[in-house]
Amino acid sequence: MTTVSQAASGTIAQGAHLTLHYRLATEEGEDIVSTFADNPATLQLGTGHLAPFLEQCLLGLPEGAHQVFHLTPEQAFGVRNPELLRRLSRQTLAQNSTLGEEYAIGDLVEFAAPSGGQFAGVLCEIDEETALFDFNHPLAGQPV
């Protein structure tokens, strides 16, 4: 990891501009996201580019540091919330689909939010009348 701007002491400080490579992996070592095969990421601490916990991990590291962080589910993508398993009517599913679209268990389906944004859920079950979706982040409940 290298920093573009940092504290006078040569360590990463709040507000620093960083250029770094990073890898997000499962506990088993399977890559979820990695920048190592491409260009590094550039960001500024304190602007919301990273979760606050990740920013705290970086603060105080020296330029050029290579560090591994093991994150609990609470520190990473949160714990699984059973209230985010929702059964929707097939009519709601149809309203958020293109005509004739077919779905399979495990599909990630996007829905329009009342605020105009989008949110997505993983299809867990489907029958003639309803579909069960999991709106938890796919990595919720997992350490990374």
Side-chain angles (χ1 to χ4, degrees):
M1 167 179 31
T2 56
T3 60
V4 174
S5 69
Q6 54 192 203
S9 65
T11 60
I12 298 172
Q14 189 66 6
H17 288 84
L18 305 177
T19 298
L20 56 90
H21 278 290
Y22 67 92
R23 174 180 177 248
L24 178 65
T26 65
E27 270 196 323
E28 294 78 29
E30 182 181 332
D31 280 355
I32 298 166
V33 175
S34 177
T35 64
F36 286 93
D38 297 314
N39 293 323
T42 299
L43 53 93
Q44 182 179 9
L45 293 184
T47 60
H49 288 116
L50 289 176
F53 178 81
L54 290 175
E55 288 193 2
Q56 289 301 311
C57 290
L58 297 174
L59 291 174
L61 289 177
E63 181 177 359
H66 176 125
Q67 186 70 38
V68 176
F69 303 104
H70 295 274
L71 306 179
T72 66
E74 295 82 2
Q75 296 166 322
F77 295 94
V79 295
R80 293 194 56 75
N81 181 347
E83 292 183 20
L84 294 178
L85 287 172
R86 297 289 182 150
R87 190 164 296 279
L88 304 176
S89 70
R90 289 291 297 262
Q91 179 181 6
T92 299
L93 181 58
Q95 290 170 346
N96 287 276
S97 305
T98 58
L99 186 61
E101 191 162 6
E102 298 286 326
Y103 294 103
I105 303 302
D107 284 351
L108 184 66
V109 180
E110 289 189 359
F111 294 87
S115 63
Q118 297 261 323
F119 62 97
V122 175
L123 179 62
C124 300
E125 298 174 6
I126 192 165
D127 60 33
E128 286 91 36
E129 296 179 16
T130 64
L132 178 66
F133 283 91
D134 184 350
F135 292 104
N136 283 287
H137 188 283
L139 296 173
Q142 296 183 41
V144 295

